[in-house]
Amino acid sequence: MNMVKGKPAISGALARHKGNISAWTGLFAFVLFSYHFFSDGDFSFLMTFGAFVRAFGFGILIFKSLTQKSVSGLSLKTLQLYGFVFLFRLCSITRYQGYLPYDRSGDWLYTFIEFVGLGLTLAVIFLVTVQFRGSYDFKFDTFGHLHVPSEFGIVYILVPSILLGMLIHPNLNMNWLADVSWTIALYIEAIAILPQLFMFQKRGGGAVETCISHWVYALAFGSFLHLWFWLFSYHELGEKNAGHHVGYTVIFVQIGHMLMMGDFLYYYFKSMKDGGPMMLPTHGDFQA
């Protein structure tokens, strides 16, 4: 009897998520195509896979903004931070090969996807600050408002990430600026989602718009793929006199990022299972 009742429930959930399932299926099909034609099957393709997923997430935001003509619920600060993530990473990988995937996808595809990710991020920032500025929830996007104007709150993430990147970084490129740039991007990305999570809290919890929940999940999934790769390759980051502590630091910050996303991921998967909108618990405001 339970199985009979369960089948309609599963069918209903699949029907409600039909569009989302189609989008993610399309992404995975494209990734498989790229893996077959632009990769040697090396484990490092996980980095390219992660880049695909991250860019896909920002593509979702473009779709949301243009179809709804609204950017409600988006944190401009998180978008700005990801703009810096792409910029710093591209400063490293466009001229040097130390942090590129080892397979053929590292020849051009990975870098191309990162440029696409940067372009999509800048496009969303334009939509938030210009095209649909009237729908931007600036009163909730207040991360880092202590001691500095709210619009400059990202300095609390940028400055520590830059300083830490200058102090603890690998040397795979054998170029100080390129190595530090890659590391800064890694450190920023580990906590770039924090303003968006803070914004969820400031709004008092409740329903999270579907496109935004998929975007945040895409960022988490992409980071998980990169973590998966570095868990088996972190020892290489200590080569060329960098020291073993560098690899441990990279793993530590990436695991910290996944732990930070833990609550969100729990409610995301719960909403997928229940077939309804993603619902966050209601909390009081907190300070950052």
Side-chain angles (χ1 to χ4, degrees):
M1 181 64 69
N2 290 336
M3 292 180 63
V4 174
K5 290 182 178 180
K7 289 181 179 179
I10 295 174
S11 299
L14 291 175
R16 286 189 291 271
H17 290 295
K18 182 179 179 180
N20 302 325
I21 293 172
S22 298
W24 282 98
T25 301
L27 168 67
F28 288 127
F30 191 73
V31 170
L32 287 174
F33 173 85
S34 301
Y35 180 77
H36 180 75
F37 289 101
F38 302 114
S39 173
D40 304 315
D42 188 84
F43 184 66
S44 63
F45 184 78
L46 282 175
M47 297 177 66
T48 306
F49 189 4
F52 267 123
V53 174
R54 185 168 48 240
F56 172 75
F58 285 98
I60 291 175
L61 292 189
I62 296 289
F63 174 80
K64 164 215 160 29
S65 302
L66 294 180
T67 56
Q68 300 178 3
K69 300 187 184 304
S70 171
V71 293
S72 176
L74 290 177
S75 168
L76 176 60
K77 292 181 173 66
T78 287
L79 294 171
Q80 291 170 332
L81 287 168
Y82 267 96
F84 280 109
V85 168
F86 286 116
L87 184 61
F88 277 113
R89 185 176 290 133
L90 285 167
C91 285
S92 174
I93 66 175
T94 50
R95 293 189 58 191
Y96 299 91
Q97 301 180 1
Y99 305 97
L100 293 174
Y102 308 138
D103 69 339
R104 282 188 296 137
S105 70
D107 293 344
W108 65 272
L109 182 61
Y110 176 75
T111 303
F112 174 75
I113 300 169
E114 290 293 283
F115 271 111
V116 171
L118 175 61
L120 291 173
T121 304
L122 294 178
V124 180
I125 291 174
F126 171 80
L127 294 175
V128 172
T129 58
V130 180
Q131 189 73 20
F132 304 123
R133 180 172 177 80
S135 62
Y136 168 50
D137 299 324
F138 65 90
K139 62 182 178 294
F140 296 121
D141 195 12
T142 57
F143 174 85
H145 66 284
L146 297 177
H147 308 300
V148 297
S150 178
E151 58 268 29
F152 299 112
I154 62 173
V155 299
Y156 286 108
I157 291 176
L158 277 180
V159 173
S161 298
I162 292 172
L163 293 177
L164 186 60
M166 295 171 65
L167 292 173
I168 303 177
H169 60 84
N171 295 321
L172 296 185
N173 284 331
M174 294 301 291
N175 178 279
W176 186 85
L177 183 59
D179 288 318
V180 169
S181 294
W182 181 86
T183 313
I184 290 172
L186 178 83
Y187 293 157
I188 295 175
E189 188 170 17
I191 49 178
I193 197 62
L194 196 55
Q196 183 66 61
L197 299 180
F198 181 80
M199 190 173 184
F200 289 150
Q201 293 281 351
K202 291 289 288 185
R203 291 170 64 93
V208 176
E209 191 175 332
T210 300
C211 287
I212 295 178
S213 68
H214 284 304
W215 165 58
V216 176
Y217 171 71
L219 297 179
F221 184 33
S223 295
F224 169 75
L225 293 171
H226 285 179
L227 171 61
W228 188 4
F229 171 76
W230 287 116
L231 279 173
F232 293 93
S233 308
Y234 71 92
H235 57 279
E236 298 179 13
L237 297 174
E239 296 177 355
K240 301 180 180 179
N241 300 318
H244 296 300
H245 66 285
V246 174
Y248 297 142
T249 302
V250 167
I251 295 300
F252 175 78
V253 298
Q254 291 187 317
I255 290 177
H257 173 61
M258 298 310 301
L259 292 175
M260 185 189 305
M261 299 287 287
D263 280 350
F264 176 90
L265 293 174
Y266 169 78
Y267 290 106
Y268 176 85
F269 287 119
K270 186 176 185 297
S271 71
M272 294 298 103
K273 176 179 177 294
D274 296 340
M278 179 177 171
M279 299 293 297
L280 293 175
T282 301
H283 296 297
D285 292 347
F286 65 97
Q287 302 297 318

